[in-house]
Amino acid sequence: MGVAVCSLKWEAARTGSQRIVYDSDGYHLVRFPYEESEESYDPWGMHDPGKAYPDPESGLIVPSHDGWGTVSALVFWAPDSRPVEYRARFVRDPLGSSTGYDSTATTDSAPTGGNQFRTYMWQMFVRKDTPLGLKVTARAAGDVPVPAALTLAEFKLAVQTDVHVPE
């Protein structure tokens, strides 16, 4: 079975801070630079640098194949006393450029002491050319989004390209 992989990484210590901008859905589309120094891996061209970081399109992985996709993410938040909840979700077409916004695998968690370290994983069918994004939000009391700082993020897609079907 063939697997096509894209692995993206952004780290504030290398690239500088990422301005948190909440979209109309109350979530921030995490952006990823195109530099190899960020330890990204993209031999299939699924994170095409059509727009420069931190353009919203730099937050997209565009599958190179139809198949069974495993998406995963790692998000580190800096210490901040305002949030009472952290959320993340994977979104098909987060910018509405092809099939329309379709979120899946939304998860939430309460803060712990110090920094907030979160990992996420979901499996789903992916379609060639339907972009995927990682969206996050930090929420204060009353479900109000706050621009808490990210310090590191990774976003990965592995597409199994040879999914067998019954004969």
Side-chain angles (χ1 to χ4, degrees):
M1 181 176 310
V3 178
V5 175
C6 180
S7 176
L8 307 179
K9 181 179 180 183
W10 163 83
E11 189 171 1
R14 292 182 186 201
T15 305
S17 63
Q18 183 164 159
R19 185 169 167 254
I20 302 299
V21 178
Y22 288 116
D23 298 328
S24 61
D25 64 353
Y27 286 78
H28 169 73
L29 179 63
V30 181
R31 274 74 157 169
F32 297 90
Y34 300 96
E35 290 88 28
E36 290 181 17
S37 66
E38 287 289 350
E39 301 177 26
S40 295
Y41 177 79
D42 185 26
W44 290 99
M46 292 189 262
H47 187 241
D48 184 18
K51 300 284 183 173
Y53 171 84
D55 184 275
E57 289 185 21
S58 71
L60 303 178
I61 292 177
V62 182
S64 58
H65 298 78
D66 289 343
W68 185 248
T70 301
V71 285
S72 57
L74 172 72
V75 178
F76 288 5
W77 297 88
D80 192 322
S81 62
R82 298 172 297 166
V84 297
E85 179 183 33
Y86 293 89
R87 296 181 195 163
R89 62 176 37 164
F90 297 109
V91 181
R92 292 179 189 96
D93 194 19
L95 300 177
S97 63
S98 65
T99 58
Y101 185 104
D102 179 20
S103 67
T104 186
T106 300
T107 187
D108 63 347
S109 61
T112 59
N115 293 5
Q116 307 303 310
F117 306 117
R118 306 288 190 273
T119 58
Y120 310 97
M121 195 213 42
W122 190 244
Q123 296 182 11
M124 61 186 176
F125 280 105
V126 297
R127 301 286 176 231
K128 181 179 179 179
D129 300 328
T130 298
L132 303 172
L134 167 65
K135 298 195 88 174
V136 298
T137 185
R139 312 296 260 187
D143 203 29
V144 176
V146 295
L150 296 173
T151 60
L152 182 140
E154 295 188 25
F155 180 34
K156 302 166 186 311
L157 170 65
V159 183
Q160 296 176 19
T161 61
D162 187 19
V163 178
H164 292 280
V165 294
E167 293 182 26

